[in-house]
C-alpha cells in the first residue's frame, strides 16, 4: 500500500488551465480521521487506476455544515454552505463525488436551495458507474466466497434511496452478501447520525452501535461493509466492544475493491 | 304521535352533525395556529401519494398481520356506512328498508355488509387481544398509559357494539320476515345474522320487533356518538390520514429545510457591501423565533400530523434510541404535541379565541431536551409511519430553538459547532492541514 497516489487540487488544475470531470469532496472525516483517511486513499487509488480526471479542494474545502445543521445550528450550517458554494462556483464545479453520505446528502439536497447546484454522487454509485463503463474491473481476489454483510448508512439509504450500488459492488467481489434483518429501508442506525457522534449518548439500556454491531455479527460475517466513515467508526467500536476484532473486519466498500485489486 | 320517531330522528341528526361540525371547525382553527408552509406544489404527485398511502394502505404491508386485520376493519367500516344512507332515509321518512326495491342487488349488498361486519368484529377482537392479553410491546409503552390506552380500547368496544347492533337488527328483521310479521316484508339476505335468527323462535313477535327497533336506534345513535368521539381520539386518523398524506413531505427524507429567517441574516453577513447600519428593509415586528418552543412555532402540517397520529407506535418500535432504552419516543413526540395543542385550544376557548400565557410551553413542559438530544435524525420513524408523519421534523425544529435561541446544546455539541465556525471542521484541526493525508503513510 505504498505506491504513490496522485491527488491534484482544483487550484493546481486551474493554473494548468484544466477542468476535472469530477470534484472529489473528501469531507472532514476523510481528511482528518485516521481510519477514514484510509478510505479516502483507497478511493483515490481506484480513481487513479480508472484514470478518472478529478481534483480535490484541499485546504479550500470546509465542513459542509451537516453536523451543525443536525444539531440545530442553522447559522453555522448556512455560513459553511455559503462559503463552500462560493469556492465551488468559483471553480465552476459541475459534478461532485464523496465517500461520506452526510456530505453527499447535504451537498445534494440542501445546497441547491442556497444556490449551490451540482450533480452529486456517492462514491459507491460512482464506482458502480466506472464499472459499467468498463473503466474499472473488479476481480473477486481475496474476498471470493467471504461472508460480507452491508450496513446501510441512514443518509445514503433511507435519506436518498441508494441501496443497490454498494451491494452490486460487493457481489462483484464474488463474495457472499448476507443481509441483516433490518436492512435497506428498514436499516438500523449505527448511532452516529444527528450529531450523536460528537456527544455522549443519553441514559438508556444499551448503546445504539452495540445493538447494530450485534445484529451484524449475527449474520456470521467475515467482513462488515460500510459506506460511511461515521458508520465505520461506530461499527469498529462495536466490534471491539464485542471483542471480535480479530475475526471480523469493518471495511468501506471502496477499501474492499481496492484491496481486491491489490492496490 | 305518528311522527314522533321521525322528529326525534331529525333532532338526533341535527345534534350529531351540529356537534361534529363544531369540532371540525375547532380542529381547523387549531391546525391553523401553526406557521405557514407551502405544500401546494405538485398536486398530481400528492394525489398519487394519498391514494397509495392512505387509501391503498401501502405502508402497512411491512407487518402483514395487523395489515390484514386493519383492512377488514377499514373496508368494513367504510362500506357498511353506505347502509347509513338507508338508515337516514328510513329514519326521516318513516320508511322501512327503502332500498329494498333494488331486489337481488339489495340482497347482495346486505349479505356483503354482514360478512364485512363479521370481519370487523373478528378484526377488533384480535386487536383487543393483541393489546390487552398478548400485550405487544409496541402497544404498551409508557406513553400508552392512561387515556391513550382507554381510547384504543374504547374504539374497539364501540366498533364491536355497533356491528352487533347491526347484526342483531338484521337477525330480528330476518326472523320477522320469515314469519311474515307486520311490515317486515321479504328484503335482504342474512348470511351471518341468519345464524342468530333461530334464537328468536318462540318469542313474542312484538318483542322481536322491539329488539329490531332498539338495535336500529342503537346503531344510529352509536354512530352519531362515535362521530363526535373522533375529535378526542386517535381515531381521527380515519379522516386526517387523507390530507395528512396529501400534504406530506415528498422531498428526499434526508433533505431538511433551510430556515428562511437564517438565510436573510447569513446573506447580510456574507455581503461585503452590506451597510450594517442601514434600516432593515422590512418593517420591524416581533422578530421571528428560530425554531420551535411551542406549538404555534411549528407549521400547520406538523400540527395536522399530531392530530392524525394513530398512536400505533411503528415509529417508536423502529427508533434506534427508543429500542435501546432511551427516553426518546417519536410517537410520544406526536402525542405530546397534540396534548399541548389541545391545552392551547382550551385556553383559546376560555378566552374568546385569545391565547393567554399559561406559563407552559411544548418545550420542557411536554417534551424534554433529553428526548430531543437523543435523536439520530435517522428517519426510521418517518419511513415507518403508515400515514407519512414526520416526528423528526418536530424534533429538529425544537433543537433549533434550543441551540439558536437558548444556546442550550450539550457541551460537546457546542464544542463541535465552535470548531466548525473556527476551523471548518467539527474537530480541532487546522483547515490548512486538510490535505495532509495525501502525503502520510
Ligand atoms: S429520526 Fe430520531 S426519533 Fe426518528 S427513529 Fe431516528 S432516532 Fe428515533
Ligand atoms: S407517528 Fe405514525 S408511526 Fe408513529 S405512532 Fe403516529 S401514526 Fe404510528
Amino acid at each position: 500500500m505504498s505506491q504513490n497516489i496522485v491527488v491534484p487540487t482544483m487550484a493546481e488544475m486551474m493554473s494548468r488551465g484544466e477542468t476535472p470531470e469530477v470534484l472529489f469532496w473528501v469531507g472532514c472525516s476523510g481528511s482528518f480521521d485516521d481510519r477514514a483517511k484510509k478510505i479516502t486513499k483507497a478511493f483515490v487509488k481506484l480513481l487513479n487506476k480508472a484514470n478518472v480526471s478529478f481534483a480535490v479542494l484541499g485546504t479550500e474545502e470546509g465542513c459542509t455544515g451537516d453536523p451543525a445543521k443536525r444539531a440545530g445550528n442553522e447559522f453555522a450550517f448556512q455560513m459553511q454552505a455559503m462559503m463552500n458554494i462560493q469556492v465551488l462556483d468559483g471553480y465552476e464545479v459541475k459534478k461532485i463525488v464523496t465517500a461520506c453520505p452526510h456530505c453527499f446528502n447535504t451537498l445534494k439536497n440542501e445546497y441547491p436551495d442556497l444556490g449551490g447546484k451540482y450533480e452529486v454522487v456517492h462514491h459507491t454509485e460512482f464506482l458502480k458507474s466506472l464499472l459499467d463503463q468498463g473503466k474499472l474491473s473488479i476481480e473477486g481476489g481475496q474476498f471470493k466466497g467471504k461472508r460480507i454483510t452491508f450496513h446501510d448508512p441512514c443518509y445514503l439509504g433511507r435519506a436518498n434511496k441508494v441501496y443497490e450500488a454498494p451491494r452490486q459492488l460487493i457481489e462483484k467481489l464474488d463474495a457472499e452478501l448476507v443481509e441483516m434483518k433490518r436492512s435497506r429501508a428498514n436499516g438500523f442506525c449505527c448511532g452516529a447520525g444527528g450529531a450523536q457522534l460528537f456527544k455522549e449518548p443519553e441514559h438508556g439500556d444499551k448503546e445504539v452501535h452495540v445493538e447494530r454491531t450485534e445484529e451484524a455479527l449475527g449474520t456470521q460475517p467475515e467482513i462488515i461493509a460500510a459506506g460511511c466513515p461515521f458508520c465505520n467508526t461506530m461499527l469498529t467500536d462495536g466490534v471491539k466492544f464485542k471483542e471480535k476484532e480479530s475475526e471480523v473486519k469493518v471495511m468501506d466498500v471502496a477499501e474492499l475493491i481496492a484491496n481486491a485489486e491489490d492496490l | 304521535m305518528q311522527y314522533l320517531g321521525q322528529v326525534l330522528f331529525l333532532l338526533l341528526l341535527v345534534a350529531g352533525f351540529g356537534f361534529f361540525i363544531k369540532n371540525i371547525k375547532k380542529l381547523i382553527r387549531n391546525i391553523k395556529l401553526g406557521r405557514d408552509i407551502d405544500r401546494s406544489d405538485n398536486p398530481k404527485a400528492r394525489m398519487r401519494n394519498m391514494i397509495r398511502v392512505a387509501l391503498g394502505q401501502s405502508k402497512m404491508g411491512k407487518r402483514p398481520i395487523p395489515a390484514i386485520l386493519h383492512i377488514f376493519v377499514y373496508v368494513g367500516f367504510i362500506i357498511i356506512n353506505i347502509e347509513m344512507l338507508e338508515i337516514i332515509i328510513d329514519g326521516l321518512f318513516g320508511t322501512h328498508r327503502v332500498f329494498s326495491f333494488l331486489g337481488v342487488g339489495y340482497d347482495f349488498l346486505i349479505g356483503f355488509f354482514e360478512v364485512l361486519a363479521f370481519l370487523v368484529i373478528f378484526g377488533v377482537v384480535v386487536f383487543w387481544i393483541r393489546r390487552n392479553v398478548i400485550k405487544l410491546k409496541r402497544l404498551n409503552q409508557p406513553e400508552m398509559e392512561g387515556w391513550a390506552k382507554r381510547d384504543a380500547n374504547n374504539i374497539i368496544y364501540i366498533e364491536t357494539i355497533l356491528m352487533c347492533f347491526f347484526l342483531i337488527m338484521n337477525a330480528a328483521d330476518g326472523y320477522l320476515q320469515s314469519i311474515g310479521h307486520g311490515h317486515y316484508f321479504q328484503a335482504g339476505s342474512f348470511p351471518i345474522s341468519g345464524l342468530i335468527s333461530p334464537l328468536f323462535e318462540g318469542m313474542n313477535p312484538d318483542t322481536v320487533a322491539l329488539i329490531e327497533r332498539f338495535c336500529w336506534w342503537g346503531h344510529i345513535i352509536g354512530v352519531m356518538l362515535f362521530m363526535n368521539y373522533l375529535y378526542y381520539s386517535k381515531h381521527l386518523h380515519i379522516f386526517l390520514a387523507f390530507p395528512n398524506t396529501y400534504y406530506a413531505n415528498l422531498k428526499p427524507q434526508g433533505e431538511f429545510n433551510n430556515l428562511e429567517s437564517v438565510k436573510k441574516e447569513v446573506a447580510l453577513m456574507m455581503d461585503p457591501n452590506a451597510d450594517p447600519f442601514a434600516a432593515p428593509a422590512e418593517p420591524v415586528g416581533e422578530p421571528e423565533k428560530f425554531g420551535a418552543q411551542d406549538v404555534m412555532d411549528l407549521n400547520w402540517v406538523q400540527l395536522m400530523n399530531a392530530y392524525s397520529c394513530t398512536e400505533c407506535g411503528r415509529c417508536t418500535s423502529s427508533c434506534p434510541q427508543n429500542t435501546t432504552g432511551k427516553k426518546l419516543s417519536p410517537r410520544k413526540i406526536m402525542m405530546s404535541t397534540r396534548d399541548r395543542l389541545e391545552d392551547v385550544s382550551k385556553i383559546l376557548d376560555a378566552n374568546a379565541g385569545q391565547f393567554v400565557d399559561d406559563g407552559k410551553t411544548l418545550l420542557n413542559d411536554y417534551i424534554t431536551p433529553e428526548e430531543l438530544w437523543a435523536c439520530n435524525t435517522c428517519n426510521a420513524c418517518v419511513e415507518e409511519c403508515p400515514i407519512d408523519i414526520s416526528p423528526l421534523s418536530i424534533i429538529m425544529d425544537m433543537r433549533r430553538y434550543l441551540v439558536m435561541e437558548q444556546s442550550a446544546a450539550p457541551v460537546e455539541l457546542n464544542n463541535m459547532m465552535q470548531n466548525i465556525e473556527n476551523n471548518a471542521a467539527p474537530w480541532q484541526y487546522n483547515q490548512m492541514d486538510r490535505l495532509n493525508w495525501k502525503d502520510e503513510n
Side-chain angles (χ1 to χ4, degrees):
Chain A
M1 287 268 257
S2 60
Q3 99 272 30
N4 285 336
I5 47 173
V6 187
V7 191
T9 63
M10 272 299 200
E12 290 162 8
M13 278 231 162
M14 182 121 138
S15 66
R16 290 203 298 264
E18 292 172 46
T19 324
E21 248 170 66
V22 61
L23 171 84
F24 171 29
W25 184 276
V26 183
C28 301
S29 283
S31 304
F32 295 122
D33 179 83
D34 284 335
R35 178 68 191 83
K37 282 191 265 190
K38 292 191 181 142
I39 303 171
T40 307
K41 284 188 194 166
F43 183 57
V44 166
K45 283 175 190 165
L46 292 169
L47 292 176
N48 285 166
K49 173 149 196 262
N51 279 322
V52 176
S53 136
F54 77 100
V56 299
L57 285 176
T59 56
E60 291 181 278
E61 187 187 277
C63 176
T64 58
D66 163 84
K69 187 174 179 86
R70 310 297 139 180
N73 193 338
E74 272 290 297
F75 280 105
F77 163 69
Q78 290 196 17
M79 288 297 286
Q80 284 307 120
M82 296 311 286
M83 288 191 282
N84 283 324
I85 290 170
Q86 266 181 4
V87 174
L88 290 166
D89 285 353
Y91 287 119
E92 294 180 18
V93 169
K94 300 272 174 317
K95 184 169 179 177
I96 302 176
V97 60
T98 175
C100 172
H102 296 267
C103 298
F104 166 69
N105 176 70
T106 307
L107 292 167
K108 181 173 189 280
N109 295 322
E110 289 160 356
Y111 275 33
D113 170 61
L114 298 170
K117 300 191 170 74
Y118 321 100
E119 182 193 348
V120 187
V121 292
H122 186 244
H123 72 316
T124 57
E125 294 176 293
F126 192 76
L127 290 172
K128 176 72 183 30
S129 70
L130 290 180
L131 203 69
D132 292 344
Q133 294 160 18
K135 293 188 183 158
L136 195 69
S137 61
I138 304 179
E139 307 276 319
Q142 49 173 303
F143 298 109
K144 198 165 178 168
K146 290 230 160 118
R147 281 173 77 85
I148 302 183
T149 189
F150 178 70
H151 163 82
D152 288 280
C154 303
Y155 276 87
L156 183 65
R158 262 193 302 277
N160 289 292
K161 308 259 175 289
V162 178
Y163 300 119
E164 299 313 322
R167 289 183 166 78
Q168 287 162 346
L169 291 171
I170 292 171
E171 277 169 352
K172 285 279 175 201
L173 296 169
D174 291 331
E176 187 190 345
L177 177 65
V178 280
E179 293 287 354
M180 288 181 252
K181 196 167 155 247
R182 293 177 285 197
S183 64
R184 291 194 168 83
N186 299 329
F188 191 83
C189 179
C190 69
Q196 298 299 327
L197 181 81
F198 302 95
K199 63 181 258 299
E200 288 301 311
E202 273 62 29
H203 177 73
D205 307 331
K206 202 183 202 178
E207 294 212 29
V208 175
H209 72 276
V210 174
E211 166 84 9
R212 184 54 163 175
T213 307
E214 284 173 357
E215 185 174 6
L217 293 175
T219 66
Q220 316 289 337
E222 281 149 280
I223 292 159
I224 301 172
C228 170
F230 288 1
C231 299
N232 198 310
T233 303
M234 297 310 268
L235 295 170
T236 305
D237 282 358
V239 170
K240 275 193 201 130
F241 180 80
K242 302 299 285 183
E243 296 175 347
K244 288 274 190 238
E245 66 266 42
S246 55
E247 298 139 65
V248 182
K249 284 206 186 76
V250 180
M251 292 177 82
D252 190 89
V253 176
E255 291 178 302
L256 291 175
I257 298 171
N259 280 13
E261 296 294 294
D262 275 331
L263 294 177
Chain B
M1 268 311 274
Q2 173 190 4
Y3 296 112
L4 184 62
Q6 282 158 262
V7 173
L8 282 178
F9 187 84
L10 185 66
L11 286 177
L12 175 69
L13 282 194
V14 171
F17 280 104
F19 276 114
F20 183 62
I21 289 168
K22 193 168 156 254
N23 277 339
I24 297 280
K25 279 192 182 152
K26 192 188 277 190
L27 185 70
I28 293 172
R29 176 196 72 183
N30 294 350
I31 289 174
K32 279 190 172 163
L33 290 174
R35 285 185 185 168
D36 201 19
I37 178 173
D38 185 13
R39 290 273 164 92
S40 61
D41 60 313
N42 228 333
K44 269 194 197 142
R46 296 191 171 283
M47 192 55 94
R48 269 200 304 275
N49 193 56
M50 182 178 87
I51 290 173
R52 204 163 33 92
V53 177
L55 198 66
Q57 314 253 300
S58 61
K59 290 175 88 177
M60 294 284 284
K62 265 191 192 174
R63 301 180 198 231
I65 295 174
I68 291 171
L69 296 170
H70 186 263
I71 290 270
F72 288 166
V73 178
Y74 159 70
V75 173
F77 218 69
I78 290 182
I79 297 194
I80 295 167
N81 272 323
I82 301 176
E83 166 82 357
M84 285 305 298
L85 201 60
E86 183 179 54
I87 292 185
I88 288 175
I89 296 176
D90 282 348
L92 288 176
F93 299 101
T95 49
H96 184 68
R97 293 193 178 264
V98 68
F99 291 157
S100 56
F101 69 88
L102 293 170
V104 187
Y106 186 75
D107 292 353
F108 172 77
L109 268 184
I110 297 293
F112 185 50
F113 292 163
E114 285 211 343
V115 173
L116 288 174
F118 177 74
L119 290 177
V120 170
I121 295 177
F122 175 75
V124 294
V125 167
V126 180
F127 281 156
W128 187 86
I129 294 172
R130 285 162 62 88
R131 248 172 222 281
N132 301 288
V133 181
I134 304 175
K135 288 191 187 290
L136 284 188
K137 181 166 180 249
R138 153 166 87 87
L139 306 174
N140 286 280
Q141 279 165 306
E143 65 265 24
M144 296 308 287
E145 294 297 316
W147 167 247
K149 188 183 177 83
R150 284 201 304 280
D151 176 33
N153 281 329
N154 287 347
I155 296 165
I156 290 173
Y157 302 142
I158 298 172
E159 289 186 348
T160 311
I161 292 171
L162 286 180
M163 291 303 119
C164 286
F165 275 145
F166 175 69
L167 288 175
I168 298 171
M169 171 185 92
N170 279 355
D173 200 316
Y175 173 72
L176 294 168
Q177 289 178 22
S178 70
I179 60 168
H181 181 75
H183 64 274
Y184 291 95
F185 52 84
Q186 186 64 45
S189 66
F190 306 105
I192 305 289
S193 67
L195 304 172
I196 315 173
S197 297
L199 295 177
F200 296 122
E201 259 161 48
M203 238 187 237
N204 182 343
D206 288 333
T207 313
V208 180
L210 207 64
I211 293 175
E212 192 272 337
R213 282 293 87 191
F214 178 79
C215 291
W216 187 90
W217 278 97
H219 185 76
I220 181 73
I221 292 172
V223 169
M224 289 294 132
L225 289 176
F226 196 32
M227 192 167 80
N228 281 292
Y229 177 71
L230 295 182
Y231 177 82
Y232 309 96
S233 164
K234 72 180 184 104
H235 216 55
L236 206 45
H237 76 271
I238 64 170
F239 295 123
L240 287 185
F242 294 90
N244 203 76
T245 46
Y246 183 88
Y247 291 111
N249 176 31
L250 299 182
K251 295 183 181 152
Q253 285 174 7
E255 178 177 342
F256 294 8
N257 68 326
N258 296 321
L259 274 191
E260 290 300 327
S261 43
V262 173
K263 269 193 212 170
K264 283 180 222 145
E265 303 212 5
V266 169
L268 216 61
M269 282 192 268
M270 300 283 294
D271 181 1
N273 303 320
D275 173 4
F277 303 108
E282 280 159 72
V284 240
E286 198 177 324
E288 199 184 330
K289 245 187 241 171
F290 296 120
Q293 178 191 27
D294 209 344
V295 284
M296 297 75 105
D297 309 324
L298 295 170
N299 65 51
W300 63 267
V301 172
Q302 291 168 319
L303 298 186
M304 181 169 66
N305 281 175
Y307 276 122
S308 313
C309 174
T310 72
E311 297 170 16
C312 69
R314 282 172 173 75
C315 51
T316 295
S317 70
S318 68
C319 173
Q321 295 291 352
N322 187 274
T323 49
T324 51
K326 317 299 184 330
K327 262 205 192 129
L328 170 64
S329 160
R331 164 170 58 191
K332 186 199 158 270
I333 297 288
M334 301 318 298
M335 293 171 71
S336 297
T337 304
R338 180 170 178 171
D339 288 347
R340 174 59 184 161
L341 188 50
E342 268 309 292
D343 288 348
V344 168
S345 170
K346 287 192 192 107
I347 296 174
L348 293 178
D349 289 343
N351 297 286
Q354 287 302 310
F355 180 69
V356 180
D357 191 359
D358 62 339
K360 288 188 181 174
T361 55
L362 179 62
L363 181 65
N364 296 326
D365 297 299
Y366 297 75
I367 297 173
T368 59
E370 179 182 345
E371 293 162 65
L372 298 170
W373 288 119
C375 177
N376 279 117
T377 70
C378 74
N379 266 302
C381 51
V382 181
E383 177 75 32
E384 199 71 15
C385 179
I387 51 172
D388 284 350
I389 288 172
S390 174
L392 172 56
S393 74
I394 295 180
I395 296 172
M396 274 315 304
D397 281 342
M398 295 182 74
R399 275 191 182 181
R400 285 168 171 172
Y401 181 84
L402 281 170
V403 170
M404 292 191 284
E405 295 280 356
Q406 298 196 316
S407 308
V411 177
E412 309 104 301
L413 289 189
N414 276 334
N415 292 341
M416 175 271 286
M417 294 186 285
Q418 243 166 38
N419 287 333
I420 290 182
E421 283 170 345
N422 295 340
N423 48 276
W427 305 284
Q428 261 186 359
Y429 291 108
N430 192 321
Q431 190 169 10
M432 286 304 126
D433 294 338
R434 255 188 122 89
L435 198 51
N436 292 4
W437 57 268
K438 185 174 73 138
D439 306 311
E440 289 167 7
N441 252 321

